[in-house]
Amino acid sequence: MAKVIPFKAVRPTRDKVSLIAARSYQSYTPEQVESRLRDNPFSFLQIINPGYKYQLETSGERRYELVRNRYQEFKEDHILIKDKKPSFYIYKIVNRDGHEFNGVVAAASTDDYEKDVIKKHEDTLENKEDVFVKYLNIVGFNAEPVLLTYPDHSELATIFKNAMKDRAEFEFTTTYRDTHYLWCVDDEEIVGRITEIFSEMNTLYIADGHHRSSSSYLLALKMKAENKKHTGNEPYNFFMSYLIPESDLKIYEFNRLVKDLNGLSKEEFLIRLDALYRIENRGSVYYKPSKKHHFSMYLDGEFYSIYLRKHHYKINNALDGLDTHLLFQTILNPILGIEDLRNDERISYTHGKNDLAYVKSLVDNGDFAVGFGLVPINTEEMKQIANEGFKMPPKSTYIEPKLRSGVTIYEF
């Protein structure tokens, strides 16, 4: 039984939300960060880059303390205001491609994370967790929701649809041409019913935000140990999430690029590959795979389709059948010598929104020797991996929607 509750969000005023909302910090180039900090005094980037005010680079706990100060200044200036009643926040995104995402921003339980009611499909890095725990502990807020998904539910969809009949509290379009809408739901009867519906769900799945959720869980353990009057209802026992139905989730593949052929000639590489794959040279014709265990390969100016010879590869569980794992087990590791998918500098990744022409250009430019195109993993595969207790290889999924920081903020 999932515990999903309303909370009192800190939010921008209606007139400034479009100025405050920011993409994930890692998605900006240094030049983009500089221009936004220079030209937009209301950007959420001003809060998480507090040293800009003094033209000073800061890091570690010193930076975190300055982040907290900038955040408090935004509240003192009434740029950010805390809601007076616990609410669910119905959130709709229509992206530039016309895909529509409908969900609710709410607080999910760290107990559910611990008990595997909230299931995971990716490994996390301990050093990243440690850094984020320290950050959260000092700043006292989280501004970017974890993306959770749940089985489609007709009554929830109806509740969302009814809420959307009213004027949205927020409506703004980004420079990426994604349009965001938010409705506040604080009616006690509706809030109670939404809470009840989620309590009837046995499982939720993390779609995006494994480090944010794991760090929130670790912070809850720390604060629980320090609080002699701990009850389990304190805000630190929950983390902000955006929950959407499975049918709204959009999953793209991450294609792979490798810098060299591990000392092999083109011919030697193809002979090694032929042992496990049926290979067809497609010449200059772009080939995009459409089935599991089929891959596209671009090598030396030509496209190839490669199909797994299944009698040479046994699939015993969900992970064995996952294309990203299969590619690693049959090509990247044994033939190309890639051992660490996360840290090896010989391999790189590009998400499927960049088409195979982008892969081709990187190989043709000499940056890489070979590129591989994959079929996107689907939601059922992702769930099965989580249900069986496995973890996907790094860069297995590029998932939308991508949320903006600073639209709703969770304090603890």
Side-chain angles (χ1 to χ4, degrees):
M1 295 174 60
K3 187 172 186 179
V4 176
I5 64 171
F7 69 100
K8 297 177 184 179
V10 176
R11 299 186 288 115
T13 55
R14 187 197 295 256
D15 62 314
K16 293 184 177 66
V17 62
S18 63
L19 297 171
I20 289 175
R23 301 198 311 271
S24 173
Y25 179 70
Q26 291 79 11
S27 68
Y28 292 99
T29 66
E31 294 77 18
Q32 289 173 328
V33 171
E34 170 67 26
S35 68
R36 282 157 177 78
L37 291 172
R38 183 185 63 243
D39 301 331
N40 181 4
F42 300 109
S43 172
F44 194 77
L45 295 176
Q46 300 284 356
I47 293 176
I48 59 176
N49 291 269
Y52 184 79
K53 183 176 181 179
Y54 306 110
Q55 295 298 301
L56 178 70
E57 289 287 337
T58 59
S59 61
E61 293 188 9
R62 183 186 185 190
R63 173 177 168 261
Y64 306 158
E65 290 166 356
L66 289 173
V67 168
R68 181 185 60 201
N69 292 346
R70 293 294 162 275
Y71 176 66
Q72 291 301 328
E73 289 169 6
F74 269 54
K75 290 180 68 178
E76 290 164 4
D77 292 341
H78 304 290
I79 298 168
L80 297 172
I81 299 173
K82 189 168 185 174
D83 286 334
K84 295 181 179 180
K85 294 179 65 176
S87 304
F88 285 116
Y89 302 91
I90 310 302
Y91 203 128
K92 173 182 173 181
I93 303 171
V94 181
N95 71 13
R96 64 189 299 166
D97 300 318
H99 298 303
E100 187 172 308
F101 309 96
N102 296 286
V104 59
V105 177
S109 167
T110 56
D111 277 350
D112 285 352
Y113 181 93
E114 179 179 46
K115 296 173 182 175
D116 212 32
V117 173
I118 297 175
K119 291 187 176 290
K120 311 92 182 165
H121 66 262
E122 286 184 6
D123 279 326
T124 53
L125 299 176
E126 186 175 350
N127 63 329
K128 288 186 69 173
E129 290 175 335
D130 289 343
V131 168
F132 202 49
V133 167
K134 290 177 183 176
Y135 171 82
L136 292 174
N137 191 42
I138 291 174
V139 304
F141 69 85
N142 193 356
E144 187 176 356
V146 172
L147 182 62
L148 300 179
T149 188
Y150 59 85
D152 286 42
H153 194 286
S154 59
E155 186 179 351
L156 267 183
T158 299
I159 290 172
F160 295 169
K161 186 177 181 180
N162 288 337
M164 291 175 188
K165 291 177 181 177
D166 296 330
R167 180 192 178 192
E169 178 68 16
F170 293 157
E171 179 180 348
F172 64 96
T173 300
T174 70
T175 53
Y176 267 34
R177 291 184 285 174
D178 298 338
T179 303
H180 296 244
Y181 307 82
L182 180 140
W183 293 262
C184 302
V185 176
D186 59 12
D187 178 272
E188 291 184 4
E189 184 176 345
I190 299 174
V191 164
R193 184 56 190 146
I194 293 174
T195 305
E196 186 179 10
I197 290 172
F198 279 114
S199 73
E200 294 166 356
M201 296 182 185
N202 294 323
T203 307
L204 302 172
Y205 293 85
I206 299 175
D208 195 17
H210 284 78
H211 281 95
R212 273 170 277 148
S213 52
S214 63
S215 300
S216 295
Y217 165 67
L218 293 172
L219 178 67
L221 292 181
K222 174 182 174 1
M223 298 185 80
K224 176 182 177 180
E226 295 172 351
N227 183 5
K228 294 180 180 179
K229 297 182 179 180
H230 173 83
T231 65
N233 295 318
E234 296 87 354
Y236 61 72
N237 294 292
F238 300 87
F239 56 93
M240 184 168 65
S241 301
Y242 179 44
L243 299 101
I244 67 170
E246 293 171 3
S247 61
D248 276 13
L249 207 60
K250 183 70 175 173
I251 304 177
Y252 296 90
E253 72 279 14
F254 265 106
N255 297 318
R256 272 73 171 135
L257 293 136
V258 182
K259 289 189 174 181
D260 58 69
L261 298 181
N262 197 28
L264 300 172
S265 68
K266 172 185 172 182
E267 292 73 22
E268 289 170 332
F269 171 66
L270 290 173
I271 288 171
R272 291 279 302 274
L273 195 61
D274 190 81
L276 282 173
Y277 287 87
R278 176 180 174 181
I279 305 170
E280 183 177 344
N281 188 326
R282 303 272 181 152
S284 61
V285 178
Y286 281 73
Y287 170 69
K288 184 175 177 63
S290 58
K291 297 180 181 179
K292 280 175 61 65
H293 309 158
H294 289 196
F295 303 94
S296 169
M297 184 174 72
Y298 185 71
L299 172 69
D300 193 27
E302 295 178 309
F303 281 97
Y304 295 81
S305 58
I306 59 174
Y307 306 155
L308 179 70
R309 299 185 191 276
K310 294 185 179 179
H311 60 280
H312 280 310
Y313 183 85
K314 287 189 177 181
I315 297 175
N316 299 312
N317 52 53
L319 183 61
D320 288 343
L322 197 70
D323 279 352
T324 52
H325 180 73
L326 191 155
L327 189 70
F328 175 72
Q329 293 291 335
T330 59
I331 302 176
L332 297 180
N333 178 245
I335 300 177
L336 294 177
I338 303 293
E339 296 184 358
D340 186 343
L341 289 171
R342 195 180 298 276
N343 299 310
D344 195 318
E345 294 182 355
R346 293 175 55 233
I347 188 168
S348 188
Y349 307 89
T350 174
H351 60 69
K353 295 196 79 174
N354 295 325
D355 60 22
L356 289 174
Y358 183 68
V359 173
K360 178 180 183 297
S361 69
L362 293 176
V363 175
D364 288 345
N365 289 341
D367 298 326
F368 297 92
V370 62
F372 298 95
L374 289 77
V375 172
I377 289 165
N378 61 47
T379 304
E380 285 305 313
E381 285 182 283
M382 183 185 76
K383 289 170 59 179
Q384 194 60 36
I385 290 286
N387 290 341
E388 294 183 17
F390 293 110
K391 299 294 186 289
M392 292 185 184
K395 300 293 185 183
S396 287
T397 57
Y398 179 84
I399 294 180
E400 289 187 338
K402 297 295 183 188
L403 302 174
R404 296 270 161 161
S405 295
V407 179
T408 58
I409 300 171
Y410 183 79
E411 294 184 330
F412 40 83

